[in-house]
Amino acid sequence: MTVDYLSAINKQGSGLNITQIVDSLVQAETAPAASRLQSSIDEKNAAISGYGLIAAELGKLKDYAVSAQGTSSYEITSDSSAIGVKVTDQSLTKPFDGKLTVSQLASSQTLEFSGFSSKAAAINKGSVNIDFGSWSNDGTTFTADATQSTQSLSISDSNNTLVGLADALTAISGVNATVTDKGDGTFSLIVNTETGAKNAIRLRVTEDGSDPGLATFDTSSNNQTKQVVAATDASLTLNGVSITRSTNTITDLVDGYEFKLNSTTSSAASILASVNSNSAFTKVKEFVDIFNSVNSSIDELTNKGLEGTEKGILARDVVVSGIKRELRSLVTTSLPGFEDNPRYISELGIKTERDGSLSLSENDFNKAFANEPILFDVMINSLARSNNPSVKVSHTSTVLQPKGGVYNFIETATDGDSASLDGISLVGNTSSSGIRSYAGVSGDISGLRVESSGVSQSATIYYGQSFLSKLTDYIDDVISPVGTLASSSAKASSSISDYTEDQAKLDEKIASMTERYMSQFSAMESAVTGFKKTGEFLTGFIDSLKPKD
């Protein structure tokens, strides 16, 4: 109870606790508004905390998806560290058991031009033609490769230094050049080619008549004196069959596999690849468990408090309710582009229960997986493939995401600039080896890359975006710094600022009302005091008129 000391001291006043009366009047008028404002602030603060919890839960799903992508259902073993093997396209992969011997690794040609005083040492002017092909074992006879075009460069006043020549050579596809400090006071120009016997180079120099001397770099007749390492093919035998390749990373040896040759072998290496349904089931079951955990946490946060249950802090939040619906929708959405018809992760035995949780039948999974191992990729790995061996397709961009689907690729010429994918023009170029490379930069095909060779090609391109890839894209949209949750948190913070301003205005109103009531009651108190004094005076006056005994 508030003590009004002034009223207590003023014995001639009304005797009422004016301060208490004023506080009660002010509170009666403002308490509902103050309560509503504080409740709104508490609700928005709780929502912000809830958004943080939702982001953390979705982060668990994303972490799983990122770690799982690239996982193969094939188990590959090699008894030699000299050979590494991995699955690159499970749609083409079949169980494999082979003996592989590596007698020679592919190497690039290395040329050294030595004896220069510095990186910026001046060189003479002229032009250099670069022919691609192979040198004989003794390095004296060159055979040009008709599939690779001769390239040329000019040395002029703008680049007539050793490093200028290195930069000009590096600008040519298939060549890399650097200037190296030998450590003995001299510098060398080191020129490297791509691996493979037919990727060696011959430098043919035409000197500037007014500035002779560039022929120092001509290797037409003295290649053996400049060649440090000869360009060679990799030589290997697979199950007794002799094979050569121009690179140590081989993707066309066995369909769906990539072989990486690390060193030569002294004996045949045993390589075994087989489907492992147990590891595939474990990986899918891991997703189901994480999804159910996340789904349960979201349900708890959005619980409406029916039938005596505790109401969640995001019970009325439409944004989070939308996220929950979208997650459940993703589980049942179709995934086109793996084959002619769309596929579904439910084909792996994943079922959606009435409460939104998922269940996985191991028996159903094993049956489906045994018939179609590609279903594992439908869930885990995005796949890009072509029905034409002369047309290769890939998607490696981390920025551009093509839409899953089946597309028609058509080339109308072999100039590297006349191709389309489903009617959308592709950006392209042609390498020195004649490979035509194209990229989709807009629309549904944005991010797809296509390579073709030989005559003008046509192909059906399949690109299937996996379930986990689509899930990751959606979660990124939700939890990114400019995503759905961040936007909702910003709106909640803005609302709190507005409510805080309203509280400040209410405080000002309370102060004003208190002052007004106190002024009114003070005036009343003064009047009462005056009335009492007048009463005392009249009483005394009347008493004085009475006759004295």
Side-chain angles (χ1 to χ4, degrees):
M1 178 178 177
T2 304
V3 178
D4 189 344
Y5 293 101
L6 293 177
S7 296
I9 294 172
N10 182 16
K11 300 298 183 180
Q12 291 184 331
S14 64
L16 300 175
N17 189 332
I18 294 174
T19 300
Q20 184 179 21
I21 293 173
V22 169
D23 287 346
S24 297
L25 289 172
V26 172
Q27 185 177 19
E29 290 191 43
T30 62
S35 178
R36 284 194 300 272
L37 286 173
Q38 189 58 51
S39 294
S40 296
I41 291 174
D42 292 343
E43 181 180 325
K44 293 302 180 182
N45 278 322
I48 292 173
S49 297
Y51 296 146
L53 293 173
I54 295 291
E57 290 297 313
L58 293 177
K60 295 177 183 178
L61 269 179
K62 180 181 176 181
D63 289 344
Y64 165 82
V66 171
S67 66
Q69 289 179 50
T71 302
S72 172
S73 59
Y74 276 75
E75 185 177 64
I76 304 172
T77 59
S78 170
D79 64 1
S80 174
S81 60
I83 304 170
V85 187
K86 70 177 182 179
V87 171
T88 55
D89 187 346
Q90 191 157 298
S91 66
L92 302 176
T93 305
K94 295 180 180 179
F96 169 75
D97 185 0
K99 300 290 185 180
L100 188 62
T101 302
V102 181
S103 57
Q104 176 176 279
L105 292 178
S107 62
S108 60
Q109 181 189 31
T110 301
L111 301 172
E112 180 182 9
F113 302 89
S114 59
F116 295 90
S117 60
S118 70
K119 285 188 174 183
I123 62 173
N124 305 97
K125 293 178 286 186
S127 61
V128 182
N129 287 328
I130 300 94
D131 302 316
F132 293 88
S134 57
W135 286 95
S136 59
N137 290 336
D138 61 3
T140 60
T141 304
F142 184 79
T143 302
D145 181 4
T147 65
Q148 302 191 64
S149 303
T150 295
Q151 303 293 311
S152 62
L153 59 87
S154 296
I155 301 299
S156 62
D157 291 331
S158 64
N159 64 345
N160 61 335
T161 62
L162 194 61
V163 71
L165 175 57
D167 290 343
L169 286 168
T170 299
I172 295 174
S173 177
V175 181
N176 182 63
T178 59
V179 179
T180 301
D181 185 343
K182 297 277 285 185
D184 59 1
T186 66
F187 291 78
S188 291
L189 172 67
I190 308 296
V191 182
N192 293 290
T193 67
E194 293 182 351
T195 61
K198 290 186 177 181
N199 288 323
I201 58 173
R202 176 179 62 185
L203 303 180
R204 293 185 290 114
V205 173
T206 301
E207 294 184 335
D208 185 327
S210 63
D211 185 23
L214 190 62
T216 299
F217 302 100
D218 193 300
T219 63
S220 298
S221 59
N222 64 347
N223 175 74
Q224 70 275 20
T225 66
K226 302 300 181 182
Q227 182 173 274
V228 179
V229 179
T232 60
D233 287 333
S235 298
L236 56 147
T237 60
L238 176 61
N239 293 333
V241 178
S242 296
I243 298 168
T244 59
R245 288 291 187 274
S246 63
T247 176
N248 294 315
T249 301
I250 306 172
T251 58
D252 60 353
L253 191 60
V254 179
D255 287 345
Y257 293 93
E258 176 185 283
F259 293 79
K260 184 173 177 57
L261 310 183
N262 301 313
S263 63
T264 58
T265 60
S266 57
S267 60
S270 294
I271 300 172
L272 177 65
S274 58
V275 175
N276 189 329
S277 60
N278 290 331
S279 63
F281 175 78
T282 299
K283 182 58 66 175
V284 175
K285 182 65 166 59
E286 185 181 353
F287 163 74
V288 170
D289 291 342
I290 294 174
F291 181 92
N292 286 340
S293 174
V294 172
N295 184 66
S296 177
S297 297
I298 295 177
D299 280 346
E300 183 177 339
L301 290 169
T302 57
N303 184 34
K304 299 186 181 301
L306 303 176
E307 299 179 357
T309 58
E310 184 177 355
K311 187 177 182 181
I313 58 177
L314 298 174
R316 296 184 298 170
D317 194 289
V318 295
V319 171
V320 176
S321 295
I323 293 173
K324 183 165 63 173
R325 286 193 303 271
E326 184 61 26
L327 283 176
R328 293 175 180 177
S329 174
L330 280 171
V331 172
T332 58
T333 193
S334 63
L335 298 164
F338 288 93
E339 295 175 335
D340 290 325
N341 296 317
R343 306 309 298 262
Y344 300 82
I345 66 170
S346 60
E347 294 178 78
L348 276 172
I350 298 175
K351 296 180 180 179
T352 303
E353 303 299 335
R354 293 184 64 183
D355 62 357
S357 64
L358 301 180
S359 63
L360 175 63
S361 165
E362 185 170 5
N363 185 52
D364 291 345
F365 175 88
N366 288 334
K367 288 180 180 179
F369 184 74
N371 291 329
E372 296 183 280
I374 193 176
L375 288 173
F376 181 79
D377 286 303
V378 170
M379 178 172 180
I380 305 292
N381 299 310
S382 298
L383 294 180
R385 63 185 179 88
S386 161
N387 70 343
N388 182 342
S390 297
V391 177
K392 297 180 180 179
V393 60
S394 63
H395 171 243
T396 58
S397 174
T398 58
V399 178
L400 302 177
Q401 176 59 59
K403 183 178 180 180
V406 182
Y407 302 98
N408 291 318
F409 172 76
I410 298 176
E411 270 185 318
T412 56
T414 59
D415 57 3
D417 194 32
S418 304
S420 63
L421 200 56
D422 255 25
I424 301 175
S425 296
L426 298 172
V427 176
N429 60 74
T430 302
S431 69
S432 59
S433 61
I435 300 297
R436 301 182 294 277
S437 300
Y438 302 98
V441 296
S442 63
D444 291 346
I445 64 170
S446 180
L448 283 179
R449 291 188 172 276
V450 183
E451 288 187 354
S452 66
S453 58
V455 300
S456 296
Q457 303 288 344
S458 63
T460 300
I461 300 297
Y462 295 85
Y463 176 72
Q465 184 183 10
S466 71
F467 166 75
L468 289 188
S469 176
K470 291 178 71 73
L471 178 65
T472 301
D473 287 348
Y474 175 69
I475 292 175
D476 283 340
D477 287 341
V478 172
I479 68 175
S480 74
V482 293
T484 305
L485 290 178
S487 177
S488 295
S489 293
K491 289 180 180 178
S493 295
S494 177
S495 295
I496 290 174
S497 296
D498 292 340
Y499 293 142
T500 301
E501 290 181 8
D502 290 341
Q503 280 185 324
K505 293 177 181 179
L506 184 61
D507 289 340
E508 292 177 359
K509 180 179 179 181
I510 289 173
S512 176
M513 291 177 63
T514 300
E515 182 180 358
R516 175 165 55 84
Y517 281 134
M518 287 299 295
S519 176
Q520 291 173 343
F521 275 97
S522 294
M524 179 201 73
E525 192 72 9
S526 296
V528 170
T529 300
F531 292 151
K532 282 192 173 184
K533 287 183 178 181
T534 300
E536 291 174 357
F537 171 77
L538 291 174
T539 300
F541 177 74
I542 292 172
D543 288 344
S544 67
L545 296 177
K546 292 181 181 180
K548 298 181 179 178
D549 294 336

